[in-house]
């Protein structure tokens, strides 16, 4: 009788050791996966932050260029207006005055229209350049999300 009682105890000890070994291995694997996952999340977050900073840098540079261009345009417009006033003040006849003003208004309109187009193009280019880093990150998020599908 004592022989049959020892077998279950030996089997139980063996089962417990197997269970303990599997639990330890499972916990170790789980911890390693969790640690790797946290490292991946941290790295991914850093890359997201870097993309936001790159985007903000492109945006700020674009705004700076647009502001400088508009300041130069405004300065040039004021200078042309002063020139026009000087030119108009020396005219002798109403016909000369009307012709000079008509020419000035036409030129000013065309110049303003061209500046508005340039302004719109500059904003479009700035938006495109600033959105590229964020667009790349979004694409990566979508690809990662699709990789986690079951």
């Amino acid at each position: 009788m004592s022989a049959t009682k020892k077998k279950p105890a030996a089997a139980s000890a063996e089962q417990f050791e197997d269970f303990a070994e599997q639990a330890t291995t499972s916990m170790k694997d789980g911890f390693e996966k969790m640690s790797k996952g946290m490292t991946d999340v941290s790295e991914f977050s850093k890359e997201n932050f870097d993309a936001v900073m790159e985007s903000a840098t492109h945006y700020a540079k674009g705004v700076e260029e647009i502001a400088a261009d508009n300041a130069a345009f405004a300065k040039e417009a004021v200078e042309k207006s002063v020139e026009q006033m000087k030119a108009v003040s020396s005219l002798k006849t109403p016909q000369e005055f009307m012709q000079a003003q008509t020419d000035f208004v036409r030129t000013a309109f065309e110049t303003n229209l061209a500046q508005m187009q340039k302004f719109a193009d500059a904003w479009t280019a700035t938006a495109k350049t600033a959105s590229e880093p964020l667009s790349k990150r979004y694409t990566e998020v979508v690809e990662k999300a699709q990789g986690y599908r079951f």
Side-chain angles (χ1 to χ4, degrees), residues 84 95-108:
Q84 177 65 14
Q95 290 81 10
E96 291 175 337
F97 175 80
M98 289 302 291
Q99 185 61 45
Q101 281 299 92
T102 301
D103 292 343
F104 176 73
V105 169
R106 182 181 329 106
T107 302

Side-chain angles (χ1 to χ4, degrees), residues 117-138:
Q117 184 61 48
K118 187 176 177 183
F119 185 70
D121 292 344
W123 273 113
T124 301
T126 297
K128 181 181 177 193
T129 303
S131 68
E132 283 175 5
L134 300 176
S135 179
K136 288 177 185 175
R137 295 305 300 158
Y138 177 76

Side-chain angles (χ1 to χ4, degrees), residues 67-78 108 111-116:
D69 186 52
N70 280 334
F73 176 76
K75 180 181 176 188
E76 185 179 329
V78 169
T111 304
N112 283 327
L113 196 58
Q115 180 64 18
M116 286 174 36

Side-chain angles (χ1 to χ4, degrees), residues 41-117:
V41 166
S42 176
E43 181 63 28
F44 194 76
S45 294
K46 181 189 175 301
E47 290 171 2
N48 287 346
F49 180 76
D50 290 345
V52 168
M53 292 308 296
E54 182 181 355
S55 177
T57 300
H58 288 304
Y59 179 76
K61 183 180 176 189
V63 169
E64 183 180 334
E65 289 172 0
I66 290 168
D69 186 52
N70 280 334
F73 176 76
K75 180 181 176 188
E76 185 179 329
V78 169
E79 289 170 356
K80 285 183 180 179
S81 293
V82 169
E83 288 175 16
Q84 177 65 14
M85 287 299 192
K86 287 179 182 178
V88 167
S89 66
S90 66
L91 297 176
K92 308 271 189 242
T93 67
Q95 290 81 10
E96 291 175 337
F97 175 80
M98 289 302 291
Q99 185 61 45
Q101 281 299 92
T102 301
D103 292 343
F104 176 73
V105 169
R106 182 181 329 106
T107 302
F109 180 77
E110 290 169 354
T111 304
N112 283 327
L113 196 58
Q115 180 64 18
M116 286 174 36
Q117 184 61 48

